[in-house]
Amino acid sequence: MRTDTTTTTTRTTTTTRTTAAAGTTAGIAAVRNLGILAHVDAGKTTVTERILYLTGATHKRGEVHTGTTVTDFDPQERDRGITIFAAAVSCAWAGHRINLIDTPGHVDFADEVERCLRVLDGAVAVFDAVAGVEPQSESVWRQAERHGVPRVAFVNKLDRPGADLDAAVASIRERLHPRPLAVHLPIGAEDAFTGVVDLVHHRALIWDDEGTLAEGPVPADLADHTAARRQALEEAVAELDPRALEEYCTHGSLSPATLAAALRDLTRSGEAVVVLGGSAYRNRGIEPLLDAAVAYLPSPLDTPPAPYAPPAPSAGRDGQCGADPQQPLAALAFKVSAAPTGRLTYLRLYSGTLRKGDTVLDAATGRPERIARILRVMAERHTEIDHALAGDIVAVIGPKTVRVGATLCDPDHPVLLEAPVSAEPVVTVAVEARRAADTDKLTAALTRLTEEDPSLRLATDPDTGQRTLSGLGELHLEVAVEKVRREAGVEAVVGAPQVALREALVEGVSNFTYRHAKQDGGAGQFAHLVLDLAPAVDGFTFTSAVTGAQVPREYVQAVEAGCRDALTEGPLGGHPVTGLTVTLTDGATHPKDSSELAFRTAARLGLREALRVSRLHLLEPLAQVTVTVPEDALGAVLGDLAARRATVQTTTTGHTGHAGHAGHAGHTGHAGHTGTAQVEALVPLAELFGYAGRLRSRTQGRGTFTTRPAGYAPAPTPAG
């Protein structure tokens, strides 16, 4: 009797666990971790605001131009009218929970986008219906591609003069090279745009002036056009999807269910991108966008498991974290920020379950951290929850020293997830407190800022003793200093910006001999090296051509390490050295005085001596600049670019696009219908400081420009 009872109890427990696991899996399958990506001013923040309003997460539509948006809550964002800091929000739609991150669109904040893409499962790329693919649209698209993040595209502002969905789709195909599959056909054009035809389900979606959606049959005057577009869509899908091809060959058409399933598979594999249209500012097109995000973009269960490594070689073995709440905890910290409620650490959970009060391990530092609170984030507002499951994105309060990129894991199962890689800074300014009494306060504020944003670097100039702050652009540093002023109450004096120069080898030397011999009592140091230096296209390469036992293998490794030490400061001005190949051709050792330290020191000192007798030149960073201006200001703008040492690549007149920032991010001022020109040019980054003000004055405020990094080129040699 006891045996039967035990068996029954065991079966009941097993069934309960299985049912709970199945329920948990279903819950994870209903999660979508998505980012909103776009060029600055394409309307992504307005898209985010409309999503929050439609899903009931907010009860009032926020507007960029009035500073009432949920995600652009920082005072600087509201003052400038652009997204600066990635903001996470959470909402529900059609039985799914959507964790949404509104990312910056300005190139200076591309590193913020990079950190977010590291933890997202899908993305919505927003494009301007007039401008199509703009420079930063292309940059964030490539970032998403590198991370393998599936995307759907939303062509915004179809109500603007000059808006053209087909032209936007063509620009996506030509500049981004995916297979765009438009599933919408606009109803009406420009100011008369009222809705779209849904080609997948063969229906018309029409919005009134209040943004209320009505579903109905396809208008009679669009019936033939709709049929042709639907057939073209089916043929394009059948070319890419084997199951769709089989049904198309059998029946000559695709059912809505088959078409939707094929679009989902093609989106998740990256073979194609679904394109939708609308006008976020006029509340048109957001419902089908949400439906598409839920239907086509992946859940945490659909994404490949995250690879991990042990924190130390002896601590375990490599593996993968699947989205399983029953497995040990593994979470990645992708954002850290100071808030009135405390220091917030944003986490993406890759496996396991995180509970309030848990003690977790920072795998990189080996420090235990206690989770005091877990928060469901709504930009600057938070809702406390008791636990979070694998696949979720939450913020936690409690960890004191966790940095961006840290792995928080189960102390009994330490693992190390791959951290986001921060971009190298290209602009540096000197920062000093206006009052000497505020120096320590300024240093503390800047240090805290670099913890929140790893793309900012704080250092002390060894020659002048000045504090220097380095970042990804002039605006990046301007925002950082203003943040210190507002939040820490410290007035800072900022020196003129300086760009990050490099030194590159033009002509090297052969058979350069360096002998390091040091004797100061006790064990001495001895190393003898013969080096060849030659130019390279980029970076640094070290090779050894030593034969026999003149230089043992462990000393060869020390020589390479010493050479890398020497590359931090070049002879022309103390800038990092690049474009160099060093070959160790010969050497000699001493039976007692040779060591790895002696050879590393000899390599560092010897390479610096070799560089002094070689020929090098300075390299300066370049920016790819796209300037959009009225045609009547083109001559003045080209002249100004020439004075800035620009290399003009293309000039297009009669360009239709937006030439003004006068509106708001959801509905930019329509300053450029026709009669505008677009200039593409390579410009030294140092020449772009202050360019925004100069361009405004030369175009009466109607010109805009965008930049993106474009590598390095030789800097001009100073006269004399």
Side-chain angles (χ1 to χ4, degrees), residues 310-317:
S314 60
R317 57 191 180 89

Side-chain angles (χ1 to χ4, degrees), residues 29 93 110 162 222 234 334 409 472 491 512 576 587 607 672 684 711:
W93 181 258
L222 289 176
E234 291 179 356
F334 67 95
C409 58
L472 302 182
E491 286 295 332
F512 183 85
L607 182 54

Side-chain angles (χ1 to χ4, degrees), residues 4 6 70 74 88-89 134 162 247 258 369 396 478 571 586 609 669 714:
D4 292 342
T6 303
V70 172
D74 187 272
V89 293
E134 297 172 275
E247 182 174 318
T258 300
E369 299 279 1
V396 297
E478 185 182 319
D586 201 357
E609 289 290 339

Side-chain angles (χ1 to χ4, degrees), residues 21-47:
T24 302
T25 302
I28 296 174
V31 172
R32 297 291 184 273
N33 295 316
L34 309 179
I36 306 292
L37 311 175
H39 181 90
V40 64
D41 235 18
K44 57 183 169 32
T45 298
T46 303
V47 169

Side-chain angles (χ1 to χ4, degrees), residues 635-658:
V637 168
L638 287 174
D640 186 51
L641 287 173
R644 294 173 186 269
R645 299 189 286 120
T647 301
V648 175
Q649 297 167 310
T650 61
T651 302
T652 307
T653 56
H655 177 73
T656 302
H658 60 292

Side-chain angles (χ1 to χ4, degrees), residues 561-578:
C563 288
R564 292 187 183 277
D565 294 342
L567 297 179
T568 57
E569 294 182 9
L572 297 183
H575 310 293
V577 179
T578 187

Side-chain angles (χ1 to χ4, degrees), residues 672-697:
H673 311 326
T674 58
T676 62
Q678 192 172 81
V679 181
E680 296 270 353
L682 280 175
V683 186
L685 185 62
E687 300 289 349
L688 286 176
F689 297 134
Y691 183 60
R694 177 63 65 90
L695 182 64
R696 279 195 296 269
S697 67

Side-chain angles (χ1 to χ4, degrees), residues 72-313:
D72 285 356
F73 58 87
D74 187 272
Q76 289 200 72
E77 294 178 309
R78 292 181 172 175
D79 290 348
R80 298 173 187 271
I82 61 172
T83 301
I84 296 172
F85 309 105
V89 293
S90 187
C91 56
W93 181 258
H96 293 71
R97 187 173 75 253
I98 299 176
N99 295 320
L100 200 63
I101 298 181
D102 180 19
T103 64
H106 196 285
V107 66
D108 279 20
F109 308 104
D111 210 58
E112 188 95 353
V113 181
E114 186 77 13
R115 293 193 291 273
C116 294
L117 284 170
R118 172 65 180 79
V119 300
L120 293 173
D121 300 322
V124 175
V126 180
F127 299 94
D128 187 310
V130 178
V133 176
E134 297 172 275
Q136 190 60 13
S137 310
E138 189 170 350
S139 296
V140 295
W141 186 275
R142 301 299 177 210
Q143 285 179 283
E145 220 164 47
R146 285 199 308 273
H147 288 279
V149 175
R151 286 134 285 164
V152 298
F154 181 70
V155 178
N156 192 27
K157 304 184 183 181
L158 282 174
D159 59 316
R160 285 188 54 196
D164 189 332
L165 179 61
D166 289 343
V169 171
S171 72
I172 292 172
R173 181 186 299 107
E174 292 162 8
R175 297 192 61 175
L176 305 180
H177 311 296
R179 185 71 179 269
L181 300 173
V183 297
H184 280 173
L185 178 65
I187 298 175
E190 301 181 349
D191 285 341
F193 170 73
T194 57
V196 296
V197 173
D198 177 356
L199 298 177
V200 177
H201 300 96
H202 203 268
R203 57 182 179 172
L205 304 174
I206 298 175
W207 289 266
D208 61 19
D209 291 340
E210 299 300 317
T212 303
L213 171 63
E215 182 181 333
V218 176
D221 60 333
L222 289 176
D224 292 342
H225 197 183
T226 298
R229 286 297 183 94
R230 168 65 186 238
Q231 184 177 356
L233 176 63
E234 291 179 356
E235 290 174 353
V237 169
E239 286 180 16
L240 300 171
D241 186 273
R243 286 180 297 178
L245 177 61
E246 184 178 351
E247 182 174 318
Y248 189 79
C249 292
T250 303
H251 302 289
S253 63
L254 298 178
S255 67
T258 300
L259 184 55
L263 290 172
R264 180 185 64 243
D265 293 343
L266 293 172
T267 299
R268 295 179 181 181
S269 68
E271 293 181 73
V273 56
V274 171
V275 182
L276 306 98
S279 169
Y281 181 64
R282 293 196 178 181
N283 313 300
R284 294 170 185 173
I286 303 302
E287 294 94 337
L289 174 61
L290 282 165
D291 290 338
V294 166
Y296 304 138
L297 294 175
S299 75
L301 293 176
D302 301 318
T303 57
Y308 66 78

